[in-house]
Amino acid sequence: MAKQNVAEQFVDILVRAGVKRLYGVVGDSLNPVVDAVRRNRAIDWVHVRHEETAAFAAGAEAQITGKLTACAGSCGPGNLHLINGLYDAHRSMAPVLALASHIPSSEIGLGYFQETHPDQLFRECSHYSELISSPKQMPRLLQTAIQHAVGRSGVSVVSLPGDIADDPAPDKPLETALVTTRPTVRPGDAELDAFVRMIDEAEKITLFCGSGTAGAHAEVMEFAEKVKSPVGHALRGKEWIQYDNPYDVGMSGLLGYGAAYEATHECDLLILLGTDFPYNAFLPDNVKIAQVDVRPENLGRRSKLDLAVWGDVKETLRCLIPRVKEKQNRRFLDKMLKKHADALEGVVKAYTRKVEKHVPIHPEYVASVLDELADDDAVFTVDTGMCNVWAARYISPNGRRRVIGSFSHGSMANALPMAIGAQFTDRKRQVVSMSGDGGFSMLMGDFLTLVQYDLPVKVVLFNNSSLSMVELEMLVAGLPSYGTTNKNPDFAAVARACGAHGVRVEKPKELAGALKDAFKHKGPALVDVVTDPNALSIPPKISTEMVTGFALSASKIVLDGGVGRMLQMARSNLRNVPRP
């Protein structure tokens, strides 16, 4: 049996950790690793057109599966392209191992061709970033990197010079048992005692939920019923908490809707569950706040806290539910449910008149039809910008669908690359990329990756020929829009030229048929929908203190738009509110 080299050993350890694919672009210093992948039947190399796509795809796969994924870039410019996708994966708490191939070890520090220092470059977007300088060092260092990525839910980066990758591996490497799952964390007894007292003393409680409530839907509902609490959510909490929720009062933040803002400000006790909601101007400063989070560094960094609780949301609520006293008064809950329904009734009127005849097509109408036609277990990947708004307002969660995007990092061009990673996890599951024309055109080259691997991703392109979210930011800052117009091709024709299904939609009556045809198509498809660039309207009353980006000044600012099927859900919840 031939002796292994370091690259082969590296790949074997990845396989042992459960990695199924290595996303990247081949090149010089990376060649030994790529060749090792070629000869290992347990792992595949996914050749993308841009390394940024590789990192986004790996991050998306990790978010869908909850398991370790991997990406790679060759020395210098190659691995440097990974950085934006790795920032996103790290901030999304996706366990990703990135291989940053490096220049020859003898040339490091001497200004060699394509020299960078990846072990330093990636430190801010990783829990662990180290350079392998010896074959003997590799097994333990890679295993340590894997433990960091899985155990702390984020990115680890291993820098590996090409010459070391090609060196003989140690004869008997130490094989440590690898961590592949995370434990649950229960709060301490003192914190639980204080939490119970705080809950029992409060008359009006509101729960505000983030992505940390994943897997805890039943516990959140049971707890809300016991303490008669309205339940709001952040954007990343929507898919986990909004469905089958009779206590739902919507979403807070600039993209928010409903009564979430009021519920968080009019309560006696606000409980933040698994959320690192960054927009502290939307959080109250005159109510008691308790926060539950599995990551202690998140506790109290967005708002003042009266109680910090270190623990998993699910385990914490399991401990609390038997101990807290059941509240009998639901006046606050019912008041917020009515406010929520009234708020949705008001905004839905803006886009219910003649939408099926409006040209250019209302993007709200596109999102609404997409929500109706997409599979019940579809994965939606969402571009940053206005696609975030349409997904937040119109895509209905049900406990089986997934909605992922660059919700914490806020990068453009994420939807198509994320769709690649999501589709590789299950070719039979419907994956829909909700792409803006700006984001899609930024990494459009990787539409060819869909064609190359015959990935049946459906790209629904919201094409308004502008960077409309940036235009909105300029508007509220009192600036004229400038540099935000895109001169676009016929994207459907581009898709067909690439060998995919492509159709352009300019009239509302053509939309449903075009989407149905795309969904029936067995391979990749793109539906280029020409949408109204003026679809966004601002409420008539705006504070003189304007917003920048997603920050709120003195008063609440929301986007006026439709809310899809959420209105029906809110009306349904009102049936349980006692009438006077």
Side-chain angles (χ1 to χ4, degrees):
M1 182 176 178
K3 184 177 177 62
Q4 276 192 323
N5 64 15
V6 169
E8 292 169 318
Q9 193 178 77
F10 187 100
V11 171
D12 280 353
I13 293 173
L14 289 184
V15 169
R16 195 157 57 87
V19 174
K20 304 294 185 184
R21 280 162 289 276
L22 192 57
Y23 299 90
V25 178
V26 298
D28 44 54
S29 57
L30 196 55
N31 288 344
V33 174
V34 175
D35 189 61
V37 172
R38 177 184 65 83
R39 290 181 280 110
N40 192 317
R41 294 183 178 181
I43 189 171
D44 292 321
W45 176 263
V46 178
H47 166 49
V48 296
R49 303 306 174 101
H50 194 294
E51 288 91 350
E52 183 177 353
T53 295
F56 271 127
E61 180 182 331
Q63 290 181 69
I64 295 296
T65 65
K67 297 179 181 179
L68 182 71
T69 61
C71 58
S74 59
C75 64
N79 63 59
L80 194 58
H81 283 159
L82 295 170
I83 196 163
N84 192 48
L86 292 183
Y87 260 100
D88 183 82
H90 194 55
R91 299 189 69 181
S92 299
M93 295 180 287
V96 174
L97 188 287
L99 168 60
S101 186
H102 206 0
I103 64 172
S105 57
S106 61
E107 304 300 325
I108 295 175
L110 299 175
Y112 192 70
F113 176 66
Q114 295 188 321
E115 181 173 8
T116 59
H117 293 87
D119 54 316
Q120 300 175 34
L121 284 167
F122 294 103
R123 282 180 182 167
E124 190 173 308
C125 62
S126 67
H127 290 304
Y128 184 85
S129 181
E130 292 294 345
L131 170 69
I132 293 175
S133 55
S134 163
K136 294 181 179 180
Q137 180 191 12
M138 195 283 291
R140 284 189 299 158
L141 192 147
L142 178 56
Q143 288 163 357
T144 300
I146 290 170
Q147 313 287 52
H148 275 78
V150 174
R152 299 183 66 183
S153 294
V155 171
S156 284
V157 182
V158 173
S159 301
L160 177 62
D163 59 315
I164 293 180
D166 212 19
D167 282 347
D171 288 332
K172 294 182 179 180
L174 180 65
E175 291 194 0
T176 304
L178 294 171
V179 168
T180 54
T181 58
R182 296 186 63 189
T184 56
V185 179
R186 176 191 180 279
D189 290 335
E191 286 74 23
L192 285 171
D193 290 342
F195 207 178
V196 170
R197 286 195 300 271
M198 183 179 285
I199 293 167
D200 287 345
E201 290 171 1
E203 292 184 7
K204 299 181 293 184
I205 298 173
T206 293
L207 308 182
F208 187 67
C209 303
S211 61
T213 58
H217 184 275
E219 287 77 11
V220 173
M221 296 303 107
E222 185 178 358
F223 183 67
E225 168 58 30
K226 193 162 189 181
V227 300
K228 306 300 183 284
S229 168
V231 179
H233 58 267
L235 179 56
R236 290 191 67 201
K238 174 184 170 75
E239 64 176 326
W240 305 114
I241 215 67
Q242 187 194 29
Y243 69 96
D244 295 339
N245 181 356
Y247 318 99
D248 179 55
V249 291
M251 188 173 84
S252 192
L254 188 65
L255 309 186
Y257 52 80
Y261 183 89
E262 287 81 359
T264 57
H265 283 71
E266 296 179 22
C267 60
D268 300 325
L269 172 62
L270 173 61
I271 301 177
L272 305 175
L273 294 176
T275 179
D276 191 31
F277 183 71
Y279 313 120
N280 55 9
F282 283 91
L283 296 173
D285 54 14
N286 59 350
V287 304
K288 286 187 176 181
I289 302 179
Q291 183 178 2
V292 180
D293 207 291
V294 74
R295 303 182 77 160
E297 66 270 24
N298 291 351
L299 296 170
R301 71 176 180 177
R302 306 300 184 193
S303 65
K304 64 97 178 175
L305 283 189
D306 296 277
L307 181 66
V309 181
W310 183 7
D312 294 323
V313 171
K314 187 169 186 173
E315 286 300 311
T316 301
L317 293 182
R318 281 179 171 176
C319 293
L320 281 178
I321 290 169
R323 298 181 58 182
V324 298
K325 296 176 183 177
E326 183 167 4
K327 298 188 184 297
Q328 303 302 319
N329 187 340
R330 56 176 287 151
R331 283 197 298 269
F332 177 63
L333 170 60
D334 293 342
K335 177 184 176 182
M336 289 302 121
L337 290 175
K338 188 172 188 311
K339 278 193 173 186
H340 180 59
D342 289 346
L344 299 192
E345 290 275 6
V347 299
V348 78
K349 295 174 185 176
Y351 297 107
T352 55
R353 296 181 59 191
K354 300 180 180 179
V355 292
E356 295 181 4
K357 296 180 180 179
H358 184 88
V359 177
I361 303 170
H362 273 315
E364 298 87 350
Y365 179 65
V366 180
S368 179
V369 174
L370 175 61
D371 182 54
E372 292 287 345
L373 296 180
D375 290 349
D376 287 341
D377 65 344
V379 177
F380 297 88
T381 61
V382 183
D383 258 344
T384 297
M386 293 316 304
C387 285
N388 270 353
V389 180
W390 315 139
R393 299 281 176 90
Y394 285 90
I395 300 304
S396 304
N398 57 12
R400 298 171 62 201
R401 285 178 167 180
R402 295 297 313 273
V403 182
I404 60 175
S406 188
F407 299 143
S408 295
H409 186 49
S411 173
M412 282 183 67
N414 62 286
L416 174 63
M418 285 181 167
I420 292 171
Q423 192 71 83
F424 265 114
T425 67
D426 185 351
R427 285 178 172 269
K428 294 181 180 179
R429 189 175 186 182
Q430 188 180 76
V431 176
V432 180
S433 172
M434 295 177 64
S435 297
D437 57 291
F440 179 77
S441 58
M442 184 177 282
L443 284 176
M444 187 167 60
D446 268 294
F447 189 79
L448 295 170
T449 302
L450 302 183
V451 177
Q452 180 159 334
Y453 289 95
D454 196 28
L455 292 174
V457 169
K458 313 308 177 190
V459 178
V460 179
L461 188 59
F462 290 71
N463 182 4
N464 61 7
S465 298
S466 69
L467 304 177
S468 51
M469 181 61 79
V470 180
E471 286 188 352
L472 173 64
E473 292 170 348
M474 290 178 171
L475 177 63
V476 297
L479 302 172
S481 61
Y482 182 75
T484 58
T485 301
N486 296 326
K487 184 176 181 179
N488 290 327
D490 181 336
F491 287 110
V494 172
R496 292 193 297 270
C498 293
H501 174 85
V503 60
R504 186 175 175 90
V505 178
E506 298 181 354
K507 297 179 181 179
K509 65 181 181 180
E510 302 168 349
L511 178 63
L515 288 175
K516 289 177 182 178
D517 289 345
F519 290 159
K520 289 177 183 177
H521 184 71
K522 293 183 179 180
L526 182 145
V527 181
D528 179 8
V529 187
V530 180
T531 58
D532 187 353
N534 300 312
L536 208 63
S537 61
I538 305 298
K541 294 181 181 179
I542 305 177
S543 166
T544 54
E545 296 176 300
M546 292 293 102
V547 296
T548 300
F550 290 106
L552 182 72
S553 294
S555 67
K556 179 187 145 192
I557 308 287
V558 295
L559 304 180
D560 187 12
V563 289
R565 285 189 277 177
M566 287 181 286
L567 178 58
Q568 283 68 44
M569 186 177 72
R571 286 171 175 165
S572 177
N573 289 343
L574 276 181
R575 294 171 191 164
N576 299 318
V577 176
R579 300 299 179 187

